Amino acid sequence: MSSDSGTTPASAAPSPAPLNSGEPTALGGCGGSVTLVDGGTFCLSNRLGDVEPGRPHGLFFRDARVLSRWELLVDGKPAESLSVLSPEAFTARFVLRRPPQSGHADSTLLVLRERLIADGMHERLTLENMGREPTAVSLELHVEADFVDLFAVKEGRAGHVRADITVAETELLLHDRVDRMRGISISATMEPSVLPGSLSWRVVVPPGGRWHTDIVAHPTVGNQHAQAQAESQRRSAPCRKIAAWRDTATKISASDATLTQVLRRSESDLGALQIHDESGEGRPFVAAGAPWFMTLFGRDSLLTAWMTLPLEVDLALGTLQQLADLQGEDTNPLTEEQPGRIMHEMRRGPASGQVLGGDTYYGTVDATPLFVMLLAEAHRWGADSEAIADLLPAADAAMYWITECGDRDGDGFVEYQRATDRGLVNQGWKDSFDGINFAAGHLAEAPIALCEVQGYAYAAFLARARLAESFDDPKTAALMRERAAELKVKFAEQFWLPEQGWFAVALDGRKRPVDALTSNVAHCLWTGIVSDEHAGELIQRLGTTAMDTGFGMRTLSSAMGAYNPMSYHCGSVWPHDTAIGVAGLLRYRHIPGAVDLATRLAGGLLDAASAFGGRLPELFCGFSRDQFSVPVPYPTSCSPQAWASAAPLLLVRSFLGLDPDVPGRTLTVRPVIPRGWGRIRLGDLRLGEVTIDLEAEAGQVTTARVPDEWNLVTR
């Protein structure tokens, strides 16, 4: 995602920047935090379930923090944490106890906070007395709201904006002083005592008895409750959504218990991260990740949709349709909009548009070719042909951007340089300010032509050619294939570094090769722009301990001058990046060493997932497995995060060699499944109007239920 500034002290009062332009400053850090998410609503708390003031915690709704404090005191003190259970991404049980009395080691009062996120927050607070006599308990829930923009929280400059608080009988009403249309109401059962900023109860719980109250936080926009529903409906809404997602999604499992656990978590998190557009058509897309990226992203949403194709194709189609609606039409330096350009991110918070003059920012160099790539891939996986045809003008506009606007100087490569000092300095996926550097460690200067973006452009040309052939347009198909061939030759000539044995990560503004060894080059394998001649040598370099940590592929080789295993993009491990690298290696499975390296990288990544409880985070530190036997967390990593959640699906697809062509009624399955995975099963795989069941292990397909009129290719 993003990392540009993000280190300015709050006291410096920097101007608001409603962009993902830096690693989260995260006041006090987010270590040990619990993130719950449902669509565009999420809550970030500590392991007690408390939203602590002065921390990057809160309940966030439509990119604004609507609760900045939600602190429970039991007899005047915070409870003690025993455990946190989170079976789904949108719900958790905080298992607590009352602090023991002075001189005692044990406590007899169990405190449960059962939290559900669903266009607001519902929390059931339960007390259970394990003692032999009645116990008196004083409960206080302290509530505050500042209604500041998500980015103000992310960057540590939230300030001291307070809400206007009104007590209405048994309800707390909080409204934004700046924008009276934003607010939140807090209500509870069991007759709380309500004061400005708090709800409290004094109860007596009998021995062996229980007491509970239900507390509801309803955000309001335009003085209307967000999805104000009856309690039973609120409780079931996220469950219904995830059930519907699972009902339509492919059933994927493996003999290996760890892989199956990771796949189930992926399915759950991707379902929770889904957002449906507000056009009334209900088109789905995936938010990039919690807590800081709960919105539509060009690059992230496209790559996630690509990786998620083995589960279902509708997510890809919804993402494409949503992005096409927002595709650039004019030229605007402030938002970096250009004709045909696919947007970078969309925001709806209080600060959106204050700096850039709009709530949609277009400063990305790779989303536009990825859009065309996904459109063709969705067609192959069985997306509705009429819907694909309706998106062809958007694909042509994207190709126009690639060849006219993206190629700034007419040299055949796609470059980027921000249009003003308010935009992102780097506009590829490594968009931290120091993300693109030379082997010696100094930074590359714009305009910058990234190696993987040339690969994406190459794949986009071929994708548009395939679409043209499918829709009876041979002239366009021939032109696109010709441009792809020209780019492949030019890329090899100017990016290959024969003395090093790898591709330059970029060409800088003076057309000098930026010679660092990075994971970006593995994306070039994924897109197929690499010749077999260069692939063999490149695979050898990627297989060294300088790149392979034992838990995945480093973003930057440890032999490079800017290497830092604790950095955002200069030596860390990003699961989606490693998964794309594995997919790239298996595309060149005929090259010696490719399958072995892919197997090793995938195994390390699954070991990391197991260490993280089955959920891969956005990134983790790039220390060697020899140095630390478990992966070291990156402190501000998003979790759940969309393309990290989708990465295991890409691994399964790649080792299966799964490549459907619905228009051509052909299913290709060429498995090289690691033996430790055992058998992989895909049930109810929907490809257009047909449903397919498939089982495979090691190097063979063991079961395949394919329609008679289809052609099954296994070699």
Side-chain angles (χ1 to χ4, degrees), residues 485-642:
E486 292 173 354
L487 179 55
K488 186 171 185 176
V489 171
K490 188 182 293 287
F491 176 76
E493 291 173 348
Q494 298 193 39
F495 278 78
W496 181 248
L497 305 174
E499 295 183 2
Q500 287 91 339
W502 62 75
F503 290 102
V505 64
L507 303 181
D508 72 359
R510 292 157 59 185
K511 300 302 177 184
R512 296 177 302 177
V514 183
D515 58 350
L517 174 57
T518 66
S519 61
N520 302 56
V521 297
H523 292 230
C524 297
L525 292 172
W526 177 55
T527 59
I529 197 173
V530 180
S531 67
D532 284 3
E533 175 189 359
H534 292 151
E537 199 167 353
L538 180 61
I539 290 167
Q540 292 180 32
R541 300 298 184 272
L542 292 175
T544 65
T545 56
M547 287 298 291
D548 181 7
T549 67
F551 290 117
M553 186 185 299
R554 288 190 180 96
T555 46
L556 179 69
S557 164
S558 62
M560 301 295 107
Y563 169 70
N564 174 4
M566 299 180 292
S567 72
Y568 200 53
H569 284 136
C570 297
S572 55
V573 174
W574 288 62
H576 89 281
D577 184 43
T578 294
I580 288 175
V582 168
L585 289 164
L586 293 176
R587 180 168 187 153
Y588 290 80
R589 61 178 65 194
H590 56 285
I591 302 294
V595 174
D596 289 343
L597 178 55
T599 302
R600 196 166 77 231
L601 289 171
L605 199 58
L606 290 176
D607 287 346
S610 181
F612 286 115
R615 173 189 280 166
L616 285 166
E618 176 188 20
L619 74 155
F620 50 89
C621 293
F623 294 107
S624 166
R625 192 167 185 163
D626 292 337
Q627 186 174 359
F628 298 105
S629 59
V630 293
V632 176
Y634 184 83
T636 55
S637 175
C638 287
S639 184
Q641 199 260 3

Side-chain angles (χ1 to χ4, degrees), residues 89-250:
F90 51 81
T91 187
R93 300 178 75 200
F94 299 89
V95 185
L96 317 167
R97 70 174 188 173
R98 178 170 58 187
Q101 296 179 357
S102 177
H104 295 269
D106 293 332
S107 170
T108 60
L109 185 70
L110 177 69
V111 181
L112 287 177
R113 303 175 76 173
E114 298 173 272
R115 181 170 297 167
L116 175 75
I117 303 301
D119 284 322
M121 185 166 71
H122 178 277
E123 182 163 308
R124 169 162 285 196
L125 176 59
T126 302
L127 306 179
E128 184 171 353
N129 183 5
M130 307 291 184
R132 296 183 179 180
E133 59 181 334
T135 184
V137 187
S138 172
L139 296 174
E140 302 168 57
L141 181 66
H142 292 272
V143 179
E144 293 178 6
D146 55 13
F147 298 104
V148 295
D149 191 86
L150 171 69
F151 287 97
V153 180
K154 172 178 178 272
E155 296 170 8
R157 51 179 177 83
H160 301 285
V161 178
R162 302 283 297 224
D164 286 329
I165 304 177
T166 304
V167 176
E169 296 181 354
T170 60
E171 187 177 30
L172 266 182
L173 302 175
L174 298 88
H175 283 94
D176 186 355
R177 289 179 180 173
V178 177
D179 180 2
R180 297 291 300 179
M181 303 296 279
R182 290 181 183 269
I184 190 166
S185 67
I186 314 296
S187 61
T189 59
M190 303 308 290
E191 299 182 356
S193 175
V194 183
L195 296 172
S198 71
L199 291 79
S200 60
W201 300 260
R202 293 184 182 276
V203 300
V204 175
V205 186
R210 292 186 178 187
W211 175 93
H212 74 265
T213 182
D214 291 300
I215 311 166
V216 177
H218 268 321
T220 57
V221 177
N223 294 322
Q224 296 293 319
H225 280 310
Q227 298 292 321
Q229 301 168 320
E231 178 185 333
S232 61
Q233 290 175 307
R234 281 198 309 272
R235 279 187 170 278
S236 63
C239 297
R240 289 200 309 270
K241 185 179 97 169
I242 202 74
W245 162 246
R246 286 178 172 144
D247 185 56
T248 59
T250 306

Side-chain angles (χ1 to χ4, degrees), residues 345-399:
E345 67 174 290
M346 177 176 63
R347 286 291 172 182
R348 297 181 296 182
S352 64
Q354 287 183 13
V355 175
L356 296 175
D359 58 8
T360 305
Y361 175 64
Y362 290 82
T364 171
V365 72
D366 48 14
T368 307
L370 286 168
F371 176 89
V372 184
M373 289 170 60
L374 180 62
L375 183 64
E377 195 72 0
H379 187 228
R380 288 175 62 83
W381 279 75
D384 179 73
S385 291
E386 289 187 10
I388 296 293
D390 289 343
L391 288 167
L392 289 179
D396 289 333
M399 299 309 301

Side-chain angles (χ1 to χ4, degrees), residues 327-332 335-343 362-372 393-410 413-417 427-428 448 453-454 456-457 460-461 483:
Q327 189 171 26
E329 296 178 353
D330 301 318
T331 299
N332 184 341
T335 62
E336 304 209 41
E337 179 182 0
Q338 292 175 321
R341 194 174 200 179
I342 298 298
M343 53 83 84
Y362 290 82
T364 171
V365 72
D366 48 14
T368 307
L370 286 168
F371 176 89
V372 184
D396 289 333
M399 299 309 301
Y400 171 86
W401 183 87
I402 290 169
T403 57
E404 302 300 324
C405 303
D407 184 1
R408 301 167 58 90
D409 54 10
F413 297 127
V414 178
E415 303 97 359
Y416 66 84
Q417 181 175 25
Q427 298 187 351
I448 292 173
V453 172
Q454 313 319 311
Y456 300 160
F461 285 130
R483 287 180 172 174

